[in-house]
Each structure stands twice: as structure tokens, then as C-alpha cells.
Amino acid sequence: MQTVKTLQMLRTTLGQLRSAAGHGRARIALVPTMGALHEGHLTLVRRAREAADHVVASIFVNPRQFGPNEDLDAYPRQLAEDAAMLEAEGVAVLWAPTPEAMYPAGFATNISVAGVSDGLCGAARPGHFDGVATVVCKLFNQVQPDMAFFGEKDFQQLAVIRTMARDLDLTHPHVDAIIGVPTMREADGLAMSSRNRYLTPEQRTAAAVLPEALAMAAQTIAAGDQPIWLAKSVVEDELQLAGFRLDYIAVVDAETLAPIEELAGRPARILVAARIGTTRLIDNMAIVPRD
Ligand code: AMP
């Protein structure tokens, strides 16, 4: 695995990878991350390995997607450890730009995806999805992958990226496919996240209530046992009891992310963001109606 830190090196390395393919063009998959890797990230890498000839993983703690009072400085950084994990998974290139390489002096462009960015985490974290869209657009242009892998764990982020790629014609001929990968969970159901390491042992135990409550709500809504408003208020109560402060709970159309009051035969999703202590956790699940 080659670790590259400048755009010039990235271009040289990718050029070599592509031309070494012999006949035809090697297919390259991109897995963007902010590092502090866990099994969730590695699952994306494994899926990418199966689908492409070469995997490029990026590690960049993107300042533009953190708000002024968020955890940018505290965000875990462990490049050597992450690099070893990626190498063991057969990643060909680790793209690890510095903030200065990504945003040179005078950088002035912002990508803002209206609609899907507005509610949910977008409302709770103003500017967050502009930061995400801007950096992912740059990563797509820098790497020009044939496909890119993202986790459903960040469901709204996935919708924002799909919309941006479609609107800016990033999907053809490059980034042919944006692939969403189901959320990897700990044994007790908690979605894996780099931020879980902020939790105290007591908070970590309590955090299992989040996926439990969400799964129960998804099930009762799907079965038609409770109206959506009631199922949401049950989750709210359960989270409060477990020591969470709720940012939002929403049931939305899985494509538009518009809130829905009842199932209308279209894919739906339940999403939650809640704080325990100073840590903000998010999770979401599909609502699959029974036939
Ligand atoms: P991050 O490093 O948090 O920006 O995440 C990088 C990528 O990994 C994003 O596409 C995330 O959605 C994905 N990801 C994070 N946690 C998980 C998880 N538990 N399961 C699957 N994918 C994940």
C-alpha cells in the first residue's frame, strides 16, 4: 500500500495503478473516511475490494464539516494504526492529504445541496452537509473512482452525496456507482462509530437502548401496531430514561427524507440523533412493511 499526501503524488500513483492493468482499464473504488477506523469502515473496504480491481481509501478529518463548537480538535487521529489496518485489508492507496493540501490558501468554493441537507442533522449542525458535499466532490475529482462506498449509518449523508453526484454529473463516466453499505453494529446493537470511544463505561452500557428502541419502533410502525407519532414518542421516552437528550427523531421517506405521518407504500426510514453526556450519537433503520 502506498500512502500519499500530495495531489501530485496521488495522480502519479493512480496513473501507475490504472496503466498496470494490462488490457482494459483497472476499476478503482474509493472509500472516504475520517480515520479512527473500526469494523464498519473495514466492511466498506471489503465490499470495495470485491467490486473493484483496486481500492483507494482516504483519511481526512475535514474541518469544513465541523461546527465551531464541535469536536474537530478532539476527533481521534491515529494514521499509523489506520494505515496498518488498511494495508492488511489489501488497500492499494491511502490518500491522506493535509488540510492545507485539501484547502489551499484562497479556497473559496462551497457546495450546498438544498432539500436533503436541510432537516435532521442539517438542522442540528448548520453547514455540516456543505462541508461534506464539498470535500466528497473534491475526493471524487481527485481520485476519479469508478465507484464509491458509503455507510448507511450516515443515511442523510448518503442522500446528500447521491443528490450532489446526480446534479453535478459526477456519476458518468466516473463514479458510476455510489454504493450504500448496511450499518455494522456491536454485539449489543450499538452502531459502530469512531465517536463511541468518547463514551464512559456507564454511557456505553446505556447507549444500547438507542438501537433497541429504534428497532422496536421500526417494527411496530411496519406492522401497523402504532401510528408513527406514538412510536416516535415511545422512543423519545425510552431515550430520556436511559439518560439521552434527544436532538431529533424522525420517520421519513427513504429517498426524499421528507417527514411522513403514515406509511404510503414507499420505503421509509426512522432516524435518530441523541446526546449522552457530551457525545452525540446517530442511528437509523429501515421500516419494512409486512405484506
Ligand atoms: P467516518 O469516518 O465517520 O466519516 O465514516 C466513513 C464512512 O464509513 C462513511 O461512509 C460512514 O457512513 C461509514 N461508516 C461509519 N460507521 C459505519 C458503520 N458502523 N457501519 C457501516 N459504515 C459505517
Side-chain angles (χ1 to χ4, degrees), residues 16-18 20 28-29 68 100 104 112 137 148-149 151 154 179 185 187 190-191 197 227 240 250 262 272 286:
Q16 285 162 354
L17 264 191
R18 286 203 166 95
I28 289 181
E100 296 71 32
S112 189
C137 184
F149 289 76
D154 300 280
I179 295 153
R185 298 179 178 281
L190 181 66
R197 69 185 68 191
Q240 240 158 37
E262 49 194 64
V272 72

Side-chain angles (χ1 to χ4, degrees), residues 31-44 58-61 65 75 132 149-155 157-158 161 179-186 190-196 282-283:
V31 181
T33 81
M34 298 204 301
L37 302 180
H38 50 67
E39 277 295 310
H41 298 112
L42 299 183
T43 303
L44 302 192
S58 64
I59 294 184
F60 181 61
V61 182
Q65 71 187 69
Y75 200 85
V132 169
F149 289 76
F150 295 90
E152 288 182 348
K153 154 93 187 341
D154 300 280
F155 196 77
Q157 167 173 287
L158 184 56
I161 291 165
I179 295 153
V181 178
T183 303
M184 285 291 290
R185 298 179 178 281
E186 304 288 355
L190 181 66
M192 291 181 181
S193 165
S194 306
R195 290 191 167 100
N196 290 351
I282 58 172
D283 201 350

Side-chain angles (χ1 to χ4, degrees), residues 242-289:
F244 279 96
R245 280 161 296 126
L246 192 71
D247 248 14
Y248 64 79
I249 173 148
V251 174
V252 302
D253 181 287
E255 261 162 48
T256 63
L257 304 193
I260 55 173
E261 305 290 332
E262 49 194 64
L263 296 184
R266 290 171 46 76
R269 202 97 189 170
I270 183 164
L271 299 96
V272 72
R275 280 167 213 277
I276 187 158
T278 52
T279 306
R280 183 174 182 274
L281 300 179
I282 58 172
D283 201 350
N284 68 86
M285 289 182 195
I287 297 174
V288 186

